[in-house]
Amino acid sequence: MTDKQILSSVKDQELIEKRRTQMVQGAITLFKEKGFHRTTTREIAKEAGFSIGTLYEYIRTKEDILFLVVDSIHHQVRDQLEAKINLATPSVANFVSVIQSYFHLMDDMQEEVLILYQEVKSLKKESREYVLRKERDMISMLERVIAACLPDEIAKQDVELLANNIFVQGQMWGFRRWILQKQFTLEEYIDGQINYLLKGLNIKAQPDEGFTQKGGV
């Protein structure tokens, strides 16, 4: 599940993955309800379906569980986004499709995104830096899509900025939901954000041909 070494007294790697997955699922449920600091390891063990003693065979501290949760969320986003990226035939339509998939994913995972924003500060410096590297990796995925699909529409030095904008726009649907979800449906939000992106890039949609550069290419 994670590249970062978290100590365990158990040697069976398959069992470690199974138990830690159970911990993550239980912890996410509790963190959504109570937050990291008000959740106890005993509660996490109970939610995961085993004893507190068993829990400490697989981790050493409550922060280890938070790290596993954050790492799991990032892996879910990365894996599901990678599954939607097809650069065999890069095009503006492919670029739009990836953005739509990413925004839908952020809708599905909005509770998890809130956990990231609220609780990452509770990690120690080394773990925070690791999490931030994971986030940069996901932004790099968007950068590759932009560079491949829009080689003529956007300057190379602007690719990173656009990728960060898209990344945050997707997450914003969750952490600004108290106002956005009262004003827009998910599809209205996605269509509006994509419309602004395409206008900013001087690209317009063609109903029969997908998306092409304004004025033709």
Side-chain angles (χ1 to χ4, degrees):
M1 179 184 296
T2 174
D3 319 4
K4 183 177 182 294
Q5 185 66 33
I6 293 178
L7 296 178
S8 170
S9 60
V10 177
K11 304 304 180 185
D12 185 332
Q13 192 59 41
E14 185 176 337
L15 186 57
I16 290 173
E17 293 293 329
K18 178 181 177 181
R19 291 287 185 253
R20 287 181 173 173
T21 297
Q22 291 173 301
M23 281 184 225
V24 165
Q25 292 169 345
I28 287 176
T29 298
L30 293 167
F31 292 170
K32 288 177 184 178
E33 296 173 359
K34 304 175 63 172
F36 171 72
H37 290 292
R38 292 192 295 119
T39 299
T40 67
T41 50
R42 190 172 298 277
E43 289 171 326
I44 294 171
K46 182 179 179 181
E47 186 71 26
F50 41 77
S51 70
I52 185 69
T54 298
L55 181 140
Y56 278 113
E57 291 178 359
Y58 297 92
I59 52 96
R60 289 292 178 266
T61 67
K62 190 169 77 166
E63 187 190 73
D64 284 347
I65 300 175
L66 176 58
F67 178 85
L68 290 171
V69 166
V70 171
D71 202 56
S72 173
I73 291 169
H74 277 130
H75 275 76
Q76 287 181 62
V77 175
R78 182 202 65 193
D79 293 347
Q80 293 188 50
L81 193 57
E82 279 185 341
K84 297 294 183 181
I85 295 176
N86 177 12
L87 299 183
T89 54
S91 65
V92 178
N94 185 216
F95 166 68
V96 170
S97 177
V98 169
I99 296 175
Q100 290 170 330
S101 297
Y102 171 65
F103 279 21
H104 277 285
L105 178 58
M106 290 296 95
D107 177 59
D108 292 339
M109 298 186 66
Q110 54 187 282
E111 295 290 350
E112 286 84 349
V113 169
L114 288 175
I115 290 174
L116 288 178
Y117 274 90
Q118 292 169 354
E119 308 298 357
V120 167
K121 62 182 181 295
S122 299
L123 291 169
K124 292 178 181 176
K125 182 180 179 182
E126 179 186 357
S127 295
R128 283 201 310 271
E129 290 175 349
Y130 174 84
V131 169
L132 291 174
R133 287 199 301 272
K134 288 288 185 181
E135 185 164 302
R136 284 193 292 270
D137 288 345
M138 288 187 289
I139 293 170
S140 294
M141 293 171 64
L142 292 173
E143 290 175 6
R144 293 199 305 272
V145 172
I146 294 166
C149 295
L150 309 176
D152 301 318
E153 287 83 359
I154 182 168
K156 185 176 181 181
Q157 64 267 25
D158 294 328
V159 169
E160 185 175 354
L161 179 59
L162 179 59
N164 275 276
N165 284 345
I166 294 169
F167 191 76
V168 174
Q169 285 168 359
Q171 294 181 334
M172 186 169 68
W173 175 249
F175 66 70
R176 294 281 296 176
R177 63 186 180 185
W178 59 275
I179 186 168
L180 289 174
Q181 295 184 25
K182 291 180 180 178
Q183 296 178 321
F184 307 100
T185 65
L186 175 61
E187 295 307 323
E188 288 171 343
Y189 178 77
I190 293 173
D191 288 347
Q193 293 289 10
I194 290 175
N195 184 49
Y196 282 124
L197 279 171
L198 296 182
K199 281 184 177 180
L201 295 168
N202 199 32
I203 296 169
K204 67 177 181 179
Q206 298 292 336
D208 297 325
E209 300 176 5
F211 295 90
T212 60
Q213 185 175 8
K214 189 172 183 180
V217 291

